[in-house]
Amino acid sequence: MKRRALALAILLASNGATRAQDFQLHGFFDVRAVSPAGETSWDDGGLGKSRYGSGDGGMRLGGAVLDASWQATPALSAVADLQYQPDAHRHFDVLDAYLRYRPASITPWRWSVKAGAFFAPISLENEGVGWTSLWTLTPSAINSWVGEELRTVGGEFSIEHRGSSTFQAGFAIFGRNDPAGELLATRGWSLS
């Protein structure tokens, strides 16, 4: 069964590969000059309202992201977002890594399937490289929570109708998301 699935994936990837080879890399480095107040930050268990507290001053690397996307064929694409966060428990992490199949449509209806690790299509705020906000430096509390706890590993089916107005619906099956809600119960809302 696995060999058949692999053969099908190779066949889909090679079909039309000479027509669509588009590979893009985007990324950023977040460098900060920090001059915090004298209180201990909430991140270190104190009552400070910011991420940095007493003794955290100076120049700091806030993080880095590398976003790779490959349009293998007109219908098949692959995406991978890698993140480095020096203050996180795991310094290196995969934000998104998925395959998406969306065939061309000549009717108002278009469908797609996606499989891998990805964020649910919740946020209109975090549309930038590495799931960052294009409009603010710090994401909202709800998007901080979504980014920390709601990344899923699974599959998604989406159908869209395009016309005078656009309608889209999706269905997803996912796992590896058991602790969702734990951070809210333990710590409450944060801007991180």
Side-chain angles (χ1 to χ4, degrees), residues 155-175:
E156 174 186 85
F157 173 78
S158 174
I159 189 159
E160 176 183 2
H161 183 271
R162 297 165 292 163
S164 59
S165 61
T166 300
F167 172 78
Q168 183 175 356
F171 175 76
I173 297 175
F174 58 90

Side-chain angles (χ1 to χ4, degrees), residues 7 18 48-49 52 59 76 84 104 109 120 139 153 155 168 171-172 177 180 183 185 190:
T18 58
K49 305 246 185 302
Y52 300 108
M59 295 297 289
L76 182 66
Y84 172 73
W109 292 95
V153 176
Q168 183 175 356
F171 175 76
N177 202 17
L183 280 178
S190 72

Side-chain angles (χ1 to χ4, degrees), residues 89-174:
H89 177 67
R90 288 187 302 185
H91 298 302
F92 291 96
D93 199 2
V94 176
L95 295 176
D96 286 330
Y98 62 86
L99 291 173
R100 180 178 181 191
Y101 181 72
R102 183 172 69 177
S105 173
I106 58 172
T107 70
W109 292 95
R110 179 172 32 182
W111 63 273
S112 68
V113 291
K114 179 166 60 170
F118 52 88
F119 291 104
I122 294 172
S123 176
L124 295 176
E125 174 187 348
N126 291 21
E127 295 290 322
V129 174
W131 210 68
T132 57
S133 174
L134 298 173
W135 300 279
T136 62
L137 191 57
T138 303
S140 64
I142 188 85
N143 277 321
S144 293
W145 174 65
V146 167
E148 290 174 335
E149 289 199 291
L150 295 184
R151 185 176 28 186
T152 60
V153 176
E156 174 186 85
F157 173 78
S158 174
I159 189 159
E160 176 183 2
H161 183 271
R162 297 165 292 163
S164 59
S165 61
T166 300
F167 172 78
Q168 183 175 356
F171 175 76
I173 297 175
F174 58 90

